[in-house]
Amino acid sequence: MAVVKSTLPEEALGVTGTALQDTLVDLLGLSLVGKQAHWNIVGPRFRSIHLQLDEVVATARAHSDTVAERAAALGVSPDGRPETIAATFALPGTKDGWLRDTEVVELMVSSLEAAIGRLRERIEVTEKADPVTQDLLIGITADLEKQRWMFEAENHPRDTSAG
């Protein structure tokens, strides 16, 4: 049963719907990874990274809502159920237990990097199918790249040669 009729042709809707659903899963999963790390981080940089993780979670959650609403507006029912996320999430996730601050930074860099790579593929496939969705995905990518940069800078080695 289609509640909302799409303005896109069927083929474009298929491509776009898949891109939006896959992005929704990545973003919801990324927010869970961020929260799990947020609750379990330990180490000398606990506070700053703890707060930075909340920024990633807020960004991922806000974008997931926008992505889900875009799908719904096109007549594609978004699926953010826990069992869907658990079955289809493909980004790096946390290990069980406490996480050193350096491990959290590495985890977030790799998770964000994977999400960005997947988004770039979706940007490419939605170019002709739906430029509006492509634009949305470009904005999400920019925000996640900013978060990745901030985490990557956290583990940059100190220059010990400077006096």
Side-chain angles (χ1 to χ4, degrees), residues 83-115:
E83 57 269 27
T84 301
I85 306 308
T88 59
F89 184 68
L91 302 179
T94 63
K95 66 179 187 177
D96 189 28
W98 302 112
L99 302 165
R100 294 289 312 166
D101 51 3
T102 53
E103 290 176 295
V104 169
V105 169
E106 290 169 7
L107 168 67
M108 294 312 297
V109 168
S110 65
S111 293
L112 287 161
E113 195 168 280

Side-chain angles (χ1 to χ4, degrees), residues 10 13 30 32 51 60 64 80 86 105 115 130 139 149 157:
E10 200 61 37
L13 181 61
L30 186 60
L32 294 171
L51 296 173
S64 67
V105 169
D130 183 23
W149 158 58

